[in-house]
Amino acid sequence: MRRWLALAALCASLPLLHTAWAAELDPALPAPVRVGPPPSPAPAVGVDMQRTWRSPFALPKLPTEQVRLAVGVSAKTPLFGERRECAVALSNPEVSFFDRTGKETHRARFGVSPAQRPPVRTSNGDIALLTGEPAVIFLSNEGRVLSRTRLPRHFGNQAGESLTLSPGLDGGVIVTGDAEMMLVDAHGAVRLSTRLPHGERVFGPPLRTNDGLLLGTAHGALYRVSASRDPQLVGRFGGMLVGAPALLGEHTVVAQVAMGRVVALDLQSGSATTHHADLFPV
């Protein structure tokens, strides 16, 4: 009797099992495409539709250590120069300079608050720092403080997690934090200060175009910023961003959206096109 009851229960569950595992592919979905070189040769980057987890790119040879720098804990990512020299923002308000052999040549102290982000190289060759005051500080390669620009205390959040620092034109830098953006020139003067509409938050570094700067937001919007007017909405990607936007040619911006989609936004029409849809997120 128990055997017949078990057999009857198994037969009754077969339709449910079929429903749970059966899936139909929509032919209208776009085929996946790769845009640009892979970020790394790791197998996870080369996941294909068959889910073999195999990459067509050969793994690199085992790295060999050439130089080791003693920079302490919580130091920022090194900023390298053309001759393999580098500058490292330390956990205290100092920058340490090393030559190509790894020998420390000199240090520069720039204030009372350490750097919140790794230093960047400006277009005229100087070094720019974003500190926790918050402030933007320009240093020469010899370690001399060239200028210091204090930002409003409310700029970005208190932890500095939303602050970004990017090189601008003519030796200046672009600073973003939460919903704000500021353009600081090489002399430390603020040339542009703007704020996105209420509820928006900057996501990723700004993108430079001939028509001004582009700012992506966490909610999937793209705004054009210029000195002559308030931020203008270009279009929407159709979902929350999980990857920073990037320029693809002169008229297209691509970004990774939630649920494994890569969406392209046309800068002229504002229309969004899905270039990749991951049916089985991993």
Side-chain angles (χ1 to χ4, degrees):
M1 184 65 179
R2 292 182 179 177
R3 182 180 302 176
W4 284 106
L5 290 176
L7 182 59
L10 178 61
C11 293
S13 64
L14 287 178
L16 297 177
L17 292 175
H18 176 75
T19 303
W21 289 99
E24 294 183 0
L25 298 182
D26 185 0
L29 288 174
V33 296
R34 287 192 177 96
V35 179
S40 73
V45 177
V47 175
D48 52 21
M49 290 300 291
Q50 288 73 34
R51 293 302 187 267
T52 59
W53 286 85
R54 295 180 180 272
S55 172
F57 305 99
L59 294 175
K61 296 181 179 179
L62 291 177
T64 57
E65 181 179 307
Q66 297 181 346
V67 176
R68 177 176 295 193
L69 307 179
V71 296
V73 297
S74 301
K76 304 303 179 184
T77 304
L79 176 67
F80 286 90
E82 296 180 354
R83 296 183 298 274
R84 294 177 60 185
E85 76 281 7
C86 72
V88 182
L90 305 178
S91 58
N92 58 347
E94 290 183 324
V95 174
S96 185
F97 294 83
F98 298 85
D99 61 19
R100 61 181 301 168
T101 66
K103 178 183 178 181
E104 184 178 16
T105 57
H106 56 287
R107 286 194 181 192
R109 189 171 183 87
F110 49 80
V112 296
S113 179
Q116 292 290 316
R117 291 290 179 266
V120 299
R121 183 82 61 183
T122 64
S123 59
N124 58 11
D126 293 327
I127 297 173
L129 296 165
L130 180 60
T131 71
E133 297 179 45
V136 174
I137 297 177
F138 290 94
L139 294 176
S140 68
N141 289 285
E142 293 72 32
R144 182 168 56 92
V145 176
L146 302 175
S147 66
R148 181 193 307 270
T149 303
R150 286 185 176 273
L151 305 180
R153 287 191 174 275
H154 66 270
F155 195 90
N157 57 28
Q158 295 181 353
E161 297 174 356
S162 66
L163 296 175
T164 67
L165 180 68
S166 306
L169 300 175
D170 301 326
V173 292
I174 305 167
V175 190
T176 64
D178 284 343
E180 298 180 83
M181 189 205 77
M182 298 182 72
L183 179 60
V184 183
D185 67 14
H187 304 288
V190 177
R191 295 301 183 185
L192 174 64
S193 179
T194 188
R195 186 177 182 87
L196 296 178
H198 178 72
E200 296 285 17
R201 181 169 58 87
V202 178
F203 190 91
L207 305 175
R208 291 185 298 183
T209 68
N210 295 331
D211 298 326
L213 296 171
L214 298 174
L215 292 177
T217 71
H219 292 293
L222 186 70
Y223 287 87
R224 180 178 282 112
V225 179
S226 63
S228 59
R229 56 184 179 179
D230 293 333
Q232 300 293 311
L233 179 65
V234 177
R236 296 186 179 277
F237 292 97
M240 299 286 290
L241 297 188
V242 295
L247 280 170
L248 180 64
E250 297 181 0
H251 307 294
T252 306
V253 173
V254 295
Q256 184 180 357
V257 186
M259 299 305 294
R261 290 185 295 139
V262 175
V263 178
L265 192 66
D266 187 272
L267 298 180
Q268 296 178 330
S269 65
S271 59
T273 305
T274 299
H275 275 248
H276 172 84
D278 194 347
L279 303 180
F280 308 97
V282 292

